[in-house]
Amino acid sequence: MTQTNKSTERATEAKIGIFFDNSWHPSYNNRTIPVINPTNGNAFTEIAAGNAADIDCAVRAARAAFDGAWGQLSATERGRLLSNVGLLILEHFDELATLEALDTGKPMKQAKADITAAARYFEYYGAAADKVHGETIPFMNGFFVTTEHLPHGVTGHIIPWNYPAQMFGRSLAPALAMGNATVIKPAEDACLSSLRLAELCAEAGFPPGAINLVPGSGEVAGAALSSHPGIDFISFTGSPEVGSLVQIAAARNHIGCTLELGGKSPQIVFADADIEEVIPVVTAAIVQNAGQTCSAGARVLVENKILTEFTKKLSTAFSELVVGTPEMDLNLGPLINQTQHRRIKRYCDQAETDGVPLIASGRVADDVPAGGYFVAPRLYGPVPLDHPLAHEEVFGPVLSLIPFSDEEEAVKIANGTDYGLVAGVWSGDGSRAIRVGRRMVAGQVFINGYGAGGGIELPFGGMRKSGHGREKGFEALYEFSASRTLVIKHG
Ligand code: NAD
């Protein structure tokens, strides 16, 4: 039996239900959602369609854990449990990578990188759990003042389908490190690895109720989680539209939230950049995960002086790209679902209608199955600044090339969208690269490099419509906690 078949079988036998108190339970309404294989459009298993009653069970389980055994553990003990999960993920590496590839359609090498990153989140936050210190604050004579960081209580986590296993680790590990009890609602389009990771958390020794998971649709289970009065904080990653709904729900309950809502991230390439170094990075930054990455480098801004040479080289790189199934392990896989497929096609059709030049495109491998959501990566340019391709998030393998004539214009164009997630600046002039980099409206800026989604240790998050709050690194630990100031009068 092949690894894929084993994973399919495992997914099919997967507990169709909701996960709370460390075991599977039937959902209240017994409804299910089919899980579609993006490489052929066929359903191969199903997941529970959790509803508000299921969310309520999960939140109650989390509250009991927070008030009980889980809440009693020391930071060191919590860290040890997280580290155990990291080890278990590595022990189940092939199984998880195969499941992730099957569920999302991504190439095996990308799925493997994702599972490594998922493990890394648990390793990182396992080691960090007992290293979050308060401070002492000079105050009036006769007083001693200190602060400590406390968990919020029960935290809700709504994650997207693009990097399911990574997102599970990115969202839950820092929350657990700080002592929160968690309820996660993974995305209906891809959540099989999350179901398995929840089981591995139980196996790692987490007390019942620390980690609870309710699969289901966004409109039902997601909305129920974000509006549940028993939630003390919510973390959301997904579209700006749903992000607004989550924030409104959080506001009604007077709780905090972090929102990570995507972007239209620019990379500025000055004429003195090392073009040979730039081309593969710019290409990878948009084709990684078929462009379905919040921090994808979706715009490349090129100084006019090198436009012809740069365009030629990038065009060659794009025309060599091939799309295929996970097993083919090519440059990129299919899009996640039919909606995404139609959406990307709509953008490309509009570009054609509007006369935006198609500079180059890759191709879909000849022998991919029929019915899959494959789309060839495309490079357009010069893209007019008022065209949707210049400022809207496509969330697919479509790169917009935009020329500029000087530093001032580059900064204006780069900062000229509603988003502000990541930016890249390429230049052989170190002073200019840093100067321009520091003018970017973005939560993360790369100088002479670019990392779409990389860096567990690096604080990450948006400005403007890209959202607010920070994940990853130590900053996530502060998001998932609140400080308390202790003022002691000693005379
Ligand atoms: P989405 O925002 O609808 O879904 C993200 C998560 O939110 C999923 O778990 C979903 O079930 C949940 N959700 C949906 N409606 C909800 C509601 N009313 N209340 C609470 N939770 C809800 O994203 P999508 O439809 O899967 O993708 C649409 C677009 O969103 C993409 O094309 C892309 O532009 C963007 N997106 C961004 C990211 C990112 O990483 N920032 C990830 C996925 C999608």
Side-chain angles (χ1 to χ4, degrees):
M1 184 183 278
T2 66
Q3 185 68 45
T4 305
N5 285 344
K6 267 196 232 155
S7 282
T8 310
E9 196 177 78
R10 153 127 228 125
T12 311
E13 86 197 16
K15 350 305 152 179
I16 299 171
I18 63 168
F19 187 87
F20 65 87
D21 281 342
N22 279 356
S23 57
W24 292 99
H25 304 262
S27 66
Y28 266 90
N29 60 14
N30 268 323
R31 292 219 180 108
T32 56
I33 298 174
V35 179
I36 309 292
N37 180 344
T39 65
N40 58 24
N42 296 331
F44 65 96
T45 186
E46 50 188 8
I47 53 163
N51 66 11
D54 297 315
I55 289 286
D56 191 52
C57 276
V59 173
R60 283 171 196 274
R63 179 63 59 192
F66 185 73
D67 292 340
W70 169 240
Q72 298 303 313
L73 294 189
S74 68
T76 307
E77 288 166 321
R78 294 196 302 268
R80 223 170 259 147
L81 292 175
L82 286 161
S83 303
N84 289 349
V85 178
L87 290 172
L88 278 172
I89 293 175
L90 295 178
E91 265 174 41
H92 292 80
F93 188 84
D94 289 339
E95 176 203 338
L96 287 164
T98 308
L99 200 54
E100 193 77 326
L102 177 69
D103 207 9
T104 60
K106 59 181 78 189
M108 273 310 296
K109 54 180 172 264
Q110 173 72 56
K112 286 181 181 167
D114 287 7
I115 301 306
T116 303
R120 182 80 191 104
Y121 278 112
F122 284 93
E123 288 164 1
Y124 179 86
Y125 288 110
D130 57 4
K131 293 167 191 70
V132 180
H133 304 154
E135 50 187 8
T136 55
I137 299 172
F139 194 51
M140 292 185 282
N141 280 344
F143 285 85
F144 176 75
V145 180
T146 185
T147 63
E148 59 183 327
H149 296 277
L150 305 169
H152 294 298
V154 176
T155 50
H157 305 256
I158 299 178
I159 63 168
W161 40 259
N162 49 354
Y163 294 88
Q166 278 210 52
M167 291 303 310
F168 184 98
R170 171 171 133 187
S171 201
L172 286 200
L176 292 163
M178 294 310 294
N180 298 282
T182 61
V183 179
I184 181 162
K185 206 299 283 174
E188 54 273 49
D189 280 303
C191 71
L192 300 181
S193 60
S194 296
L195 308 187
R196 188 70 184 110
L197 287 167
E199 290 180 327
L200 292 181
C201 288
E203 199 179 320
F206 276 91
I211 293 137
N212 308 279
L213 179 149
V214 182
S217 76
E219 294 75 13
V220 178
L225 179 57
S226 54
S227 61
H228 196 291
I231 293 285
D232 299 302
F233 187 86
I234 190 138
S235 164
F236 172 83
T237 302
S239 61
E241 297 71 26
V242 176
S244 299
L245 298 176
V246 169
Q247 185 156 17
I248 289 167
R252 289 212 173 98
N253 285 328
H254 304 284
I255 62 168
C257 64
T258 54
L259 302 177
E260 200 270 271
L261 310 176
K264 186 76 179 176
S265 298
Q267 296 200 62
I268 301 176
V269 186
F270 286 102
D272 56 4
D274 179 345
I275 297 188
E276 301 304 328
E277 203 189 335
V278 178
I279 296 288
V281 178
V282 164
T283 309
I286 188 64
V287 300
Q288 176 185 314
N289 214 41
Q292 302 169 124
T293 304
C294 48
S295 50
R299 292 181 292 155
V300 59
L301 280 46
V302 184
E303 190 167 358
N304 272 320
K305 282 185 221 162
I306 54 162
L307 189 59
T308 308
E309 183 196 357
F310 187 88
T311 305
K312 199 166 155 229
K313 289 194 165 151
L314 190 58
S315 167
T316 305
F318 258 71
S319 46
E320 285 166 1
L321 295 168
V322 191
V323 191
T325 63
E327 300 74 31
M328 292 173 178
D329 218 3
L330 303 170
N331 304 103
L332 58 160
L335 300 166
I336 190 72
N337 58 26
Q338 198 171 51
T339 310
Q340 274 289 105
H341 196 242
R342 287 189 181 141
R343 175 188 160 104
I344 308 313
K345 193 165 177 323
R346 219 173 31 245
Y347 272 106
C348 296
D349 289 348
Q350 188 178 357
E352 195 179 329
T353 308
D354 298 342
V356 180
L358 175 66
I359 300 172
S361 65
R363 64 177 181 89
V364 178
D366 297 333
D367 42 355
V368 298
Y373 308 123
F374 301 96
V375 62
R378 287 179 170 85
L379 169 65
Y380 288 99
V383 176
L385 291 180
D386 59 353
H387 195 272
L389 280 188
H391 53 88
E392 288 182 14
E393 183 179 46
V394 174
F395 224 61
V398 177
L399 178 62
S400 300
L401 185 148
I402 302 172
F404 67 86
S405 49
D406 60 25
E407 190 174 311
E408 210 49 44
E409 192 188 16
V411 170
K412 194 166 167 224
I413 297 171
N415 290 339
T417 73
D418 292 339
Y419 293 99
L421 194 57
V422 178
V425 183
W426 295 87
S427 172
D429 175 346
S431 297
R432 173 161 67 183
I434 294 168
R435 183 170 65 239
V436 172
R438 293 191 68 206
R439 292 181 68 190
M440 293 295 99
V441 179
Q444 237 179 31
V445 179
F446 288 85
I447 307 286
N448 290 329
Y450 194 86
I456 277 84
E457 309 81 358
L458 312 178
F460 175 79
M463 295 176 179
R464 300 178 175 167
K465 198 174 160 184
S466 291
H468 54 73
R470 292 292 175 266
E471 295 180 278
K472 303 188 178 181
F474 256 61
E475 293 212 18
L477 297 166
Y478 300 123
E479 292 286 355
F480 284 114
S481 60
S483 74
R484 176 166 61 197
T485 308
L486 194 61
V487 185
I488 305 162
K489 184 176 179 195
H490 54 71

